[in-house]
Amino acid sequence: MQSVSEGVAHRAPFISLKLRNPEDHFQNLSSQLQQFVISNGIAVTADQLSVDFYELKNLIADYHQRYR
């Protein structure tokens, strides 16, 4: 992971993960979606997870800090 940032879209908080080498992870994506991921990263929400957004944010921040 290159960087982690937060945002809000449609009143839902999300975390954006910028990947170091995004090309290694999206072989099956359309070229338009590939360009989006390269430019913006991958947005992650806690909507479908068993943890809330703030716990997800802390887990990702801890991981990013540890494995830069």
Side-chain angles (χ1 to χ4, degrees), residues 19-48:
L19 304 175
R20 256 192 207 111
N21 300 308
E23 301 84 9
D24 296 344
H25 303 283
F26 56 47
Q27 297 81 6
N28 296 324
L29 300 180
S30 69
S31 61
Q32 184 179 13
L33 191 50
Q34 289 176 10
Q35 284 305 117
F36 181 84
V37 170
I38 290 169
S39 300
N40 302 301
I42 297 173
V44 179
T45 66
D47 291 350
Q48 302 296 317

Side-chain angles (χ1 to χ4, degrees), residues 8 18 47 57 61:
V8 176
K18 281 282 261 214
D47 291 350
K57 181 175 115 175

Side-chain angles (χ1 to χ4, degrees), residues 45-53 55-56 59:
T45 66
D47 291 350
Q48 302 296 317
L49 302 175
S50 61
V51 297
D52 68 12
F53 176 77
E55 187 173 351
L56 174 64
L59 289 169

